[in-house]
PDB file of all heavy atoms in Angstrom:
ATOM      1  N   ARG A 139     -86.702  12.740-109.709  1.00 97.00           N
ATOM      2  CA  ARG A 139     -86.277  13.415-110.924  1.00 97.00           C
ATOM      3  C   ARG A 139     -85.013  14.223-110.646  1.00 97.00           C
ATOM      4  O   ARG A 139     -84.966  14.942-109.642  1.00 97.00           O
ATOM      5  CB  ARG A 139     -87.352  14.366-111.474  1.00 97.00           C
ATOM      6  CG  ARG A 139     -88.683  13.723-111.683  1.00 97.00           C
ATOM      7  CD  ARG A 139     -88.865  13.301-113.100  1.00 97.00           C
ATOM      8  NE  ARG A 139     -90.265  12.972-113.346  1.00 97.00           N
ATOM      9  CZ  ARG A 139     -90.618  11.869-113.973  1.00 97.00           C
ATOM     10  NH1 ARG A 139     -89.734  11.032-114.444  1.00 97.00           N
ATOM     11  NH2 ARG A 139     -91.895  11.614-114.154  1.00 97.00           N
ATOM     12  N   ALA A 140     -84.045  14.159-111.553  1.00 97.00           N
ATOM     13  CA  ALA A 140     -82.852  14.984-111.472  1.00 97.00           C
ATOM     14  C   ALA A 140     -83.242  16.415-111.850  1.00 97.00           C
ATOM     15  O   ALA A 140     -84.319  16.658-112.435  1.00 97.00           O
ATOM     16  CB  ALA A 140     -81.789  14.451-112.412  1.00 97.00           C
ATOM     17  N   ALA A 141     -82.377  17.359-111.564  1.00 97.00           N
ATOM     18  CA  ALA A 141     -82.601  18.748-111.951  1.00 97.00           C
ATOM     19  C   ALA A 141     -82.920  18.793-113.450  1.00 97.00           C
ATOM     20  O   ALA A 141     -82.283  18.106-114.255  1.00 97.00           O
ATOM     21  CB  ALA A 141     -81.401  19.608-111.622  1.00 97.00           C
ATOM     22  N   GLY A 142     -83.910  19.556-113.815  1.00 97.00           N
ATOM     23  CA  GLY A 142     -84.305  19.689-115.215  1.00 97.00           C
ATOM     24  C   GLY A 142     -85.764  20.116-115.297  1.00 97.00           C
ATOM     25  O   GLY A 142     -86.312  20.635-114.324  1.00 97.00           O
ATOM     26  N   GLU A 143     -86.369  19.868-116.427  1.00 96.00           N
ATOM     27  CA  GLU A 143     -87.751  20.248-116.609  1.00 96.00           C
ATOM     28  C   GLU A 143     -88.420  19.404-117.680  1.00 96.00           C
ATOM     29  O   GLU A 143     -87.775  18.724-118.460  1.00 96.00           O
ATOM     30  CB  GLU A 143     -87.892  21.728-116.982  1.00 96.00           C
ATOM     31  CG  GLU A 143     -87.130  22.100-118.231  1.00 96.00           C
ATOM     32  CD  GLU A 143     -87.138  23.614-118.467  1.00 96.00           C
ATOM     33  OE1 GLU A 143     -86.895  24.368-117.516  1.00 96.00           O
ATOM     34  OE2 GLU A 143     -87.421  24.010-119.608  1.00 96.00           O
ATOM     35  N   LEU A 144     -89.754  19.388-117.662  1.00 95.00           N
ATOM     36  CA  LEU A 144     -90.551  18.740-118.661  1.00 95.00           C
ATOM     37  C   LEU A 144     -91.421  19.779-119.343  1.00 95.00           C
ATOM     38  O   LEU A 144     -92.036  20.618-118.698  1.00 95.00           O
ATOM     39  CB  LEU A 144     -91.473  17.664-118.045  1.00 95.00           C
ATOM     40  CG  LEU A 144     -90.818  16.348-117.625  1.00 95.00           C
ATOM     41  CD1 LEU A 144     -91.842  15.463-116.929  1.00 95.00           C
ATOM     42  CD2 LEU A 144     -90.240  15.619-118.811  1.00 95.00           C
ATOM     43  N   ALA A 145     -91.492  19.682-120.674  1.00 96.00           N
ATOM     44  CA  ALA A 145     -92.323  20.592-121.422  1.00 96.00           C
ATOM     45  C   ALA A 145     -93.809  20.341-121.114  1.00 96.00           C
ATOM     46  O   ALA A 145     -94.151  19.332-120.484  1.00 96.00           O
ATOM     47  CB  ALA A 145     -92.075  20.405-122.923  1.00 96.00           C
ATOM     48  N   GLU A 146     -94.640  21.225-121.611  1.00 96.00           N
ATOM     49  CA  GLU A 146     -96.080  21.117-121.331  1.00 96.00           C
ATOM     50  C   GLU A 146     -96.611  19.735-121.776  1.00 96.00           C
ATOM     51  O   GLU A 146     -96.308  19.279-122.863  1.00 96.00           O
ATOM     52  CB  GLU A 146     -96.850  22.218-122.043  1.00 96.00           C
ATOM     53  CG  GLU A 146     -98.298  22.261-121.664  1.00 96.00           C
ATOM     54  CD  GLU A 146     -99.007  23.464-122.207  1.00 96.00           C
ATOM     55  OE1 GLU A 146     -99.063  23.612-123.475  1.00 96.00           O
ATOM     56  OE2 GLU A 146     -99.480  24.290-121.411  1.00 96.00           O
ATOM     57  N   HIS A 147     -97.405  19.128-120.876  1.00 97.00           N
ATOM     58  CA  HIS A 147     -97.983  17.818-121.135  1.00 97.00           C
ATOM     59  C   HIS A 147     -99.159  17.624-120.179  1.00 97.00           C
ATOM     60  O   HIS A 147     -99.404  18.457-119.311  1.00 97.00           O
ATOM     61  CB  HIS A 147     -96.922  16.715-120.932  1.00 97.00           C
ATOM     62  CG  HIS A 147     -96.441  16.605-119.526  1.00 97.00           C
ATOM     63  ND1 HIS A 147     -95.540  17.484-118.974  1.00 97.00           N
ATOM     64  CD2 HIS A 147     -96.737  15.687-118.548  1.00 97.00           C
ATOM     65  CE1 HIS A 147     -95.314  17.138-117.711  1.00 97.00           C
ATOM     66  NE2 HIS A 147     -96.027  16.074-117.415  1.00 97.00           N
ATOM     67  N   ALA A 148     -99.851  16.527-120.338  1.00 97.00           N
ATOM     68  CA  ALA A 148    -100.945  16.157-119.445  1.00 97.00           C
ATOM     69  C   ALA A 148    -100.906  14.658-119.181  1.00 97.00           C
ATOM     70  O   ALA A 148    -100.302  13.923-119.937  1.00 97.00           O
ATOM     71  CB  ALA A 148    -102.282  16.544-120.067  1.00 97.00           C
ATOM     72  N   HIS A 149    -101.505  14.252-118.063  1.00 95.00           N
ATOM     73  CA  HIS A 149    -101.598  12.845-117.718  1.00 95.00           C
ATOM     74  C   HIS A 149    -103.053  12.402-117.802  1.00 95.00           C
ATOM     75  O   HIS A 149    -103.953  13.175-117.430  1.00 95.00           O
ATOM     76  CB  HIS A 149    -101.107  12.600-116.284  1.00 95.00           C
ATOM     77  CG  HIS A 149     -99.745  13.158-116.004  1.00 95.00           C
ATOM     78  ND1 HIS A 149     -98.607  12.571-116.462  1.00 95.00           N
ATOM     79  CD2 HIS A 149     -99.335  14.239-115.305  1.00 95.00           C
ATOM     80  CE1 HIS A 149     -97.560  13.273-116.052  1.00 95.00           C
ATOM     81  NE2 HIS A 149     -97.960  14.282-115.357  1.00 95.00           N
ATOM     82  N   PRO A 150    -103.307  11.164-118.203  1.00 96.00           N
ATOM     83  CA  PRO A 150    -104.690  10.668-118.274  1.00 96.00           C
ATOM     84  C   PRO A 150    -105.239  10.249-116.888  1.00 96.00           C
ATOM     85  O   PRO A 150    -106.266   9.628-116.816  1.00 96.00           O
ATOM     86  CB  PRO A 150    -104.600   9.486-119.217  1.00 96.00           C
ATOM     87  CG  PRO A 150    -103.221   8.966-119.004  1.00 96.00           C
ATOM     88  CD  PRO A 150    -102.385  10.202-118.754  1.00 96.00           C
ATOM     89  N   PHE A 151    -104.518  10.581-115.848  1.00 96.00           N
ATOM     90  CA  PHE A 151    -104.908  10.231-114.482  1.00 96.00           C
ATOM     91  C   PHE A 151    -104.776  11.427-113.559  1.00 96.00           C
ATOM     92  O   PHE A 151    -104.027  12.363-113.849  1.00 96.00           O
ATOM     93  CB  PHE A 151    -104.037   9.092-113.934  1.00 96.00           C
ATOM     94  CG  PHE A 151    -102.560   9.319-114.106  1.00 96.00           C
ATOM     95  CD1 PHE A 151    -101.841  10.158-113.221  1.00 96.00           C
ATOM     96  CD2 PHE A 151    -101.864   8.765-115.172  1.00 96.00           C
ATOM     97  CE1 PHE A 151    -100.491  10.387-113.394  1.00 96.00           C
ATOM     98  CE2 PHE A 151    -100.481   8.992-115.344  1.00 96.00           C
ATOM     99  CZ  PHE A 151     -99.825   9.790-114.447  1.00 96.00           C
ATOM    100  N   ALA A 152    -105.531  11.456-112.450  1.00 97.00           N
ATOM    101  CA  ALA A 152    -105.360  12.470-111.417  1.00 97.00           C
ATOM    102  C   ALA A 152    -104.130  12.058-110.621  1.00 97.00           C
ATOM    103  O   ALA A 152    -103.844  10.881-110.419  1.00 97.00           O
ATOM    104  CB  ALA A 152    -106.588  12.543-110.536  1.00 97.00           C
ATOM    105  N   ALA A 153    -103.381  13.054-110.132  1.00 97.00           N
ATOM    106  CA  ALA A 153    -102.189  12.788-109.339  1.00 97.00           C
ATOM    107  C   ALA A 153    -102.198  13.669-108.097  1.00 97.00           C
ATOM    108  O   ALA A 153    -102.546  14.856-108.165  1.00 97.00           O
ATOM    109  CB  ALA A 153    -100.915  13.075-110.138  1.00 97.00           C
ATOM    110  N   LYS A 154    -101.834  13.076-106.965  1.00 98.00           N
ATOM    111  CA  LYS A 154    -101.719  13.810-105.715  1.00 98.00           C
ATOM    112  C   LYS A 154    -100.371  13.374-105.114  1.00 98.00           C
ATOM    113  O   LYS A 154    -100.133  12.180-104.935  1.00 98.00           O
ATOM    114  CB  LYS A 154    -102.864  13.510-104.772  1.00 98.00           C
ATOM    115  CG  LYS A 154    -102.884  14.363-103.520  1.00 98.00           C
ATOM    116  CD  LYS A 154    -104.189  14.177-102.771  1.00 98.00           C
ATOM    117  CE  LYS A 154    -104.298  15.168-101.652  1.00 98.00           C
ATOM    118  NZ  LYS A 154    -105.633  15.057-100.991  1.00 98.00           N
ATOM    119  N   ALA A 155     -99.497  14.351-104.744  1.00 98.00           N
ATOM    120  CA  ALA A 155     -98.137  14.017-104.339  1.00 98.00           C
ATOM    121  C   ALA A 155     -97.700  14.788-103.134  1.00 98.00           C
ATOM    122  O   ALA A 155     -98.061  15.967-102.946  1.00 98.00           O
ATOM    123  CB  ALA A 155     -97.182  14.263-105.515  1.00 98.00           C
ATOM    124  N   LEU A 156     -96.869  14.135-102.331  1.00 98.00           N
ATOM    125  CA  LEU A 156     -96.217  14.716-101.157  1.00 98.00           C
ATOM    126  C   LEU A 156     -94.731  14.844-101.476  1.00 98.00           C
ATOM    127  O   LEU A 156     -94.083  13.858-101.813  1.00 98.00           O
ATOM    128  CB  LEU A 156     -96.401  13.822 -99.950  1.00 98.00           C
ATOM    129  CG  LEU A 156     -95.625  14.197 -98.693  1.00 98.00           C
ATOM    130  CD1 LEU A 156     -96.099  15.540 -98.111  1.00 98.00           C
ATOM    131  CD2 LEU A 156     -95.721  13.066 -97.646  1.00 98.00           C
ATOM    132  N   ILE A 157     -94.189  16.060-101.384  1.00 98.00           N
ATOM    133  CA  ILE A 157     -92.766  16.280-101.679  1.00 98.00           C
ATOM    134  C   ILE A 157     -91.943  15.750-100.513  1.00 98.00           C
ATOM    135  O   ILE A 157     -92.106  16.157 -99.372  1.00 98.00           O
ATOM    136  CB  ILE A 157     -92.475  17.782-101.895  1.00 98.00           C
ATOM    137  CG1 ILE A 157     -93.428  18.403-102.936  1.00 98.00           C
ATOM    138  CG2 ILE A 157     -91.005  17.971-102.305  1.00 98.00           C
ATOM    139  CD1 ILE A 157     -93.414  17.726-104.280  1.00 98.00           C
ATOM    140  N   LEU A 158     -91.011  14.831-100.855  1.00 98.00           N
ATOM    141  CA  LEU A 158     -90.146  14.211 -99.822  1.00 98.00           C
ATOM    142  C   LEU A 158     -88.760  14.880 -99.772  1.00 98.00           C
ATOM    143  O   LEU A 158     -88.129  14.918 -98.723  1.00 98.00           O
ATOM    144  CB  LEU A 158     -89.984  12.729-100.103  1.00 98.00           C
ATOM    145  CG  LEU A 158     -91.276  11.901-100.126  1.00 98.00           C
ATOM    146  CD1 LEU A 158     -90.966  10.489-100.577  1.00 98.00           C
ATOM    147  CD2 LEU A 158     -91.940  11.932 -98.752  1.00 98.00           C
ATOM    148  N   ALA A 159     -88.254  15.343-100.938  1.00 97.00           N
ATOM    149  CA  ALA A 159     -86.922  16.003-101.020  1.00 97.00           C
ATOM    150  C   ALA A 159     -86.930  16.912-102.201  1.00 97.00           C
ATOM    151  O   ALA A 159     -87.608  16.646-103.201  1.00 97.00           O
ATOM    152  CB  ALA A 159     -85.832  14.932-101.120  1.00 97.00           C
ATOM    153  N   GLY A 160     -86.139  17.967-102.162  1.00 97.00           N
ATOM    154  CA  GLY A 160     -86.026  18.914-103.242  1.00 97.00           C
ATOM    155  C   GLY A 160     -87.270  19.758-103.410  1.00 97.00           C
ATOM    156  O   GLY A 160     -87.989  20.041-102.422  1.00 97.00           O
ATOM    157  N   GLU A 161     -87.550  20.148-104.651  1.00 97.00           N
ATOM    158  CA  GLU A 161     -88.714  20.973-104.923  1.00 97.00           C
ATOM    159  C   GLU A 161     -89.149  20.811-106.377  1.00 97.00           C
ATOM    160  O   GLU A 161     -88.321  20.430-107.218  1.00 97.00           O
ATOM    161  CB  GLU A 161     -88.469  22.438-104.578  1.00 97.00           C
ATOM    162  CG  GLU A 161     -87.301  23.069-105.346  1.00 97.00           C
ATOM    163  CD  GLU A 161     -86.934  24.436-104.841  1.00 97.00           C
ATOM    164  OE1 GLU A 161     -86.950  24.669-103.636  1.00 97.00           O
ATOM    165  OE2 GLU A 161     -86.666  25.291-105.714  1.00 97.00           O
ATOM    166  N   ILE A 162     -90.380  21.141-106.633  1.00 98.00           N
ATOM    167  CA  ILE A 162     -90.923  21.107-107.993  1.00 98.00           C
ATOM    168  C   ILE A 162     -91.770  22.363-108.211  1.00 98.00           C
ATOM    169  O   ILE A 162     -92.514  22.778-107.316  1.00 98.00           O
ATOM    170  CB  ILE A 162     -91.785  19.831-108.211  1.00 98.00           C
ATOM    171  CG1 ILE A 162     -92.303  19.737-109.662  1.00 98.00           C
ATOM    172  CG2 ILE A 162     -92.923  19.740-107.229  1.00 98.00           C
ATOM    173  CD1 ILE A 162     -93.012  18.429-110.000  1.00 98.00           C
ATOM    174  N   ALA A 163     -91.603  22.957-109.381  1.00 98.00           N
ATOM    175  CA  ALA A 163     -92.425  24.079-109.779  1.00 98.00           C
ATOM    176  C   ALA A 163     -93.382  23.564-110.871  1.00 98.00           C
ATOM    177  O   ALA A 163     -92.948  22.975-111.850  1.00 98.00           O
ATOM    178  CB  ALA A 163     -91.585  25.226-110.309  1.00 98.00           C
ATOM    179  N   LEU A 164     -94.659  23.766-110.669  1.00 98.00           N
ATOM    180  CA  LEU A 164     -95.677  23.371-111.649  1.00 98.00           C
ATOM    181  C   LEU A 164     -96.286  24.623-112.236  1.00 98.00           C
ATOM    182  O   LEU A 164     -96.714  25.535-111.488  1.00 98.00           O
ATOM    183  CB  LEU A 164     -96.768  22.523-110.983  1.00 98.00           C
ATOM    184  CG  LEU A 164     -96.359  21.181-110.396  1.00 98.00           C
ATOM    185  CD1 LEU A 164     -97.542  20.537-109.712  1.00 98.00           C
ATOM    186  CD2 LEU A 164     -95.786  20.290-111.480  1.00 98.00           C
ATOM    187  N   GLU A 165     -96.358  24.667-113.547  1.00 98.00           N
ATOM    188  CA  GLU A 165     -97.021  25.778-114.241  1.00 98.00           C
ATOM    189  C   GLU A 165     -98.317  25.240-114.849  1.00 98.00           C
ATOM    190  O   GLU A 165     -98.270  24.337-115.668  1.00 98.00           O
ATOM    191  CB  GLU A 165     -96.137  26.365-115.341  1.00 98.00           C
ATOM    192  CG  GLU A 165     -96.785  27.500-116.064  1.00 98.00           C
ATOM    193  CD  GLU A 165     -95.923  28.086-117.189  1.00 98.00           C
ATOM    194  OE1 GLU A 165     -94.721  27.800-117.223  1.00 98.00           O
ATOM    195  OE2 GLU A 165     -96.496  28.807-118.010  1.00 98.00           O
ATOM    196  N   VAL A 166     -99.418  25.818-114.419  1.00 97.00           N
ATOM    197  CA  VAL A 166    -100.749  25.448-114.895  1.00 97.00           C
ATOM    198  C   VAL A 166    -101.444  26.741-115.298  1.00 97.00           C
ATOM    199  O   VAL A 166    -101.563  27.658-114.506  1.00 97.00           O
ATOM    200  CB  VAL A 166    -101.566  24.694-113.816  1.00 97.00           C
ATOM    201  CG1 VAL A 166    -102.958  24.419-114.330  1.00 97.00           C
ATOM    202  CG2 VAL A 166    -100.844  23.444-113.376  1.00 97.00           C
ATOM    203  N   ALA A 167    -101.898  26.796-116.556  1.00 95.00           N
ATOM    204  CA  ALA A 167    -102.625  27.957-117.067  1.00 95.00           C
ATOM    205  C   ALA A 167    -101.848  29.258-116.851  1.00 95.00           C
ATOM    206  O   ALA A 167    -102.431  30.272-116.440  1.00 95.00           O
ATOM    207  CB  ALA A 167    -104.013  28.048-116.456  1.00 95.00           C
ATOM    208  N   GLY A 168    -100.530  29.213-117.043  1.00 95.00           N
ATOM    209  CA  GLY A 168     -99.694  30.389-116.910  1.00 95.00           C
ATOM    210  C   GLY A 168     -99.291  30.757-115.489  1.00 95.00           C
ATOM    211  O   GLY A 168     -98.551  31.702-115.263  1.00 95.00           O
ATOM    212  N   ARG A 169     -99.765  30.018-114.509  1.00 97.00           N
ATOM    213  CA  ARG A 169     -99.428  30.304-113.111  1.00 97.00           C
ATOM    214  C   ARG A 169     -98.454  29.261-112.597  1.00 97.00           C
ATOM    215  O   ARG A 169     -98.725  28.054-112.662  1.00 97.00           O
ATOM    216  CB  ARG A 169    -100.723  30.272-112.271  1.00 97.00           C
ATOM    217  CG  ARG A 169    -100.455  30.561-110.793  1.00 97.00           C
ATOM    218  CD  ARG A 169    -101.736  30.740-110.026  1.00 97.00           C
ATOM    219  NE  ARG A 169    -101.414  31.004-108.651  1.00 97.00           N
ATOM    220  CZ  ARG A 169    -101.956  30.379-107.618  1.00 97.00           C
ATOM    221  NH1 ARG A 169    -102.883  29.462-107.824  1.00 97.00           N
ATOM    222  NH2 ARG A 169    -101.623  30.659-106.384  1.00 97.00           N
ATOM    223  N   VAL A 170     -97.326  29.726-112.027  1.00 97.00           N
ATOM    224  CA  VAL A 170     -96.295  28.829-111.493  1.00 97.00           C
ATOM    225  C   VAL A 170     -96.433  28.745-109.989  1.00 97.00           C
ATOM    226  O   VAL A 170     -96.513  29.788-109.311  1.00 97.00           O
ATOM    227  CB  VAL A 170     -94.883  29.327-111.887  1.00 97.00           C
ATOM    228  CG1 VAL A 170     -93.833  28.421-111.265  1.00 97.00           C
ATOM    229  CG2 VAL A 170     -94.730  29.391-113.384  1.00 97.00           C
ATOM    230  N   THR A 171     -96.447  27.513-109.426  1.00 98.00           N
ATOM    231  CA  THR A 171     -96.497  27.310-108.016  1.00 98.00           C
ATOM    232  C   THR A 171     -95.320  26.401-107.633  1.00 98.00           C
ATOM    233  O   THR A 171     -95.108  25.367-108.264  1.00 98.00           O
ATOM    234  CB  THR A 171     -97.841  26.651-107.587  1.00 98.00           C
ATOM    235  OG1 THR A 171     -98.913  27.468-108.062  1.00 98.00           O
ATOM    236  CG2 THR A 171     -97.910  26.527-106.084  1.00 98.00           C
ATOM    237  N   LEU A 172     -94.591  26.812-106.599  1.00 98.00           N
ATOM    238  CA  LEU A 172     -93.448  26.054-106.116  1.00 98.00           C
ATOM    239  C   LEU A 172     -93.860  25.196-104.955  1.00 98.00           C
ATOM    240  O   LEU A 172     -94.493  25.706-103.990  1.00 98.00           O
ATOM    241  CB  LEU A 172     -92.329  26.970-105.691  1.00 98.00           C
ATOM    242  CG  LEU A 172     -91.051  26.325-105.169  1.00 98.00           C
ATOM    243  CD1 LEU A 172     -90.359  25.535-106.279  1.00 98.00           C
ATOM    244  CD2 LEU A 172     -90.121  27.379-104.605  1.00 98.00           C
ATOM    245  N   TYR A 173     -93.546  23.883-104.978  1.00 98.00           N
ATOM    246  CA  TYR A 173     -93.853  22.985-103.900  1.00 98.00           C
ATOM    247  C   TYR A 173     -92.543  22.445-103.328  1.00 98.00           C
ATOM    248  O   TYR A 173     -91.659  21.996-104.066  1.00 98.00           O
ATOM    249  CB  TYR A 173     -94.703  21.811-104.378  1.00 98.00           C
ATOM    250  CG  TYR A 173     -96.046  22.236-104.926  1.00 98.00           C
ATOM    251  CD1 TYR A 173     -96.226  22.582-106.245  1.00 98.00           C
ATOM    252  CD2 TYR A 173     -97.147  22.384-104.038  1.00 98.00           C
ATOM    253  CE1 TYR A 173     -97.456  22.978-106.713  1.00 98.00           C
ATOM    254  CE2 TYR A 173     -98.366  22.811-104.513  1.00 98.00           C
ATOM    255  CZ  TYR A 173     -98.517  23.109-105.858  1.00 98.00           C
ATOM    256  OH  TYR A 173     -99.727  23.534-106.306  1.00 98.00           O
ATOM    257  N   GLN A 174     -92.426  22.519-101.985  1.00 97.00           N
ATOM    258  CA  GLN A 174     -91.210  22.103-101.304  1.00 97.00           C
ATOM    259  C   GLN A 174     -91.529  20.983-100.314  1.00 97.00           C
ATOM    260  O   GLN A 174     -92.681  20.582-100.178  1.00 97.00           O
ATOM    261  CB  GLN A 174     -90.575  23.312-100.583  1.00 97.00           C
ATOM    262  CG  GLN A 174     -90.185  24.387-101.580  1.00 97.00           C
ATOM    263  CD  GLN A 174     -89.709  25.650-100.920  1.00 97.00           C
ATOM    264  OE1 GLN A 174     -90.294  26.117 -99.955  1.00 97.00           O
ATOM    265  NE2 GLN A 174     -88.638  26.227-101.429  1.00 97.00           N
ATOM    266  N   VAL A 175     -90.495  20.499 -99.651  1.00 97.00           N
ATOM    267  CA  VAL A 175     -90.617  19.347 -98.728  1.00 97.00           C
ATOM    268  C   VAL A 175     -91.799  19.564 -97.781  1.00 97.00           C
ATOM    269  O   VAL A 175     -91.915  20.612 -97.159  1.00 97.00           O
ATOM    270  CB  VAL A 175     -89.299  19.149 -97.942  1.00 97.00           C
ATOM    271  CG1 VAL A 175     -89.479  18.081 -96.888  1.00 97.00           C
ATOM    272  CG2 VAL A 175     -88.177  18.761 -98.890  1.00 97.00           C
ATOM    273  N   GLY A 176     -92.631  18.510 -97.687  1.00 97.00           N
ATOM    274  CA  GLY A 176     -93.768  18.546 -96.801  1.00 97.00           C
ATOM    275  C   GLY A 176     -95.050  19.078 -97.398  1.00 97.00           C
ATOM    276  O   GLY A 176     -96.117  18.954 -96.815  1.00 97.00           O
ATOM    277  N   GLN A 177     -94.953  19.661 -98.596  1.00 98.00           N
ATOM    278  CA  GLN A 177     -96.126  20.203 -99.256  1.00 98.00           C
ATOM    279  C   GLN A 177     -96.743  19.181-100.205  1.00 98.00           C
ATOM    280  O   GLN A 177     -96.062  18.269-100.687  1.00 98.00           O
ATOM    281  CB  GLN A 177     -95.787  21.492-100.006  1.00 98.00           C
ATOM    282  CG  GLN A 177     -95.387  22.618 -99.065  1.00 98.00           C
ATOM    283  CD  GLN A 177     -95.107  23.883 -99.809  1.00 98.00           C
ATOM    284  OE1 GLN A 177     -94.319  23.934-100.734  1.00 98.00           O
ATOM    285  NE2 GLN A 177     -95.813  24.941 -99.392  1.00 98.00           N
ATOM    286  N   ILE A 178     -98.016  19.356-100.486  1.00 98.00           N
ATOM    287  CA  ILE A 178     -98.771  18.430-101.322  1.00 98.00           C
ATOM    288  C   ILE A 178     -99.312  19.187-102.544  1.00 98.00           C
ATOM    289  O   ILE A 178     -99.785  20.316-102.432  1.00 98.00           O
ATOM    290  CB  ILE A 178     -99.958  17.843-100.545  1.00 98.00           C
ATOM    291  CG1 ILE A 178     -99.453  16.987 -99.400  1.00 98.00           C
ATOM    292  CG2 ILE A 178    -100.896  17.043-101.453  1.00 98.00           C
ATOM    293  CD1 ILE A 178    -100.482  16.534 -98.425  1.00 98.00           C
TER     294      ILE A 178
END
């Protein structure tokens, strides 16, 4: 994904991911967690 963001949504599947490059911030129930390279 290029720099940017996605509005609140949900997926009909469970997802488990390993960050390979860059970073992602996930906000769940008002709590933001930042995941960086090597984190799951």
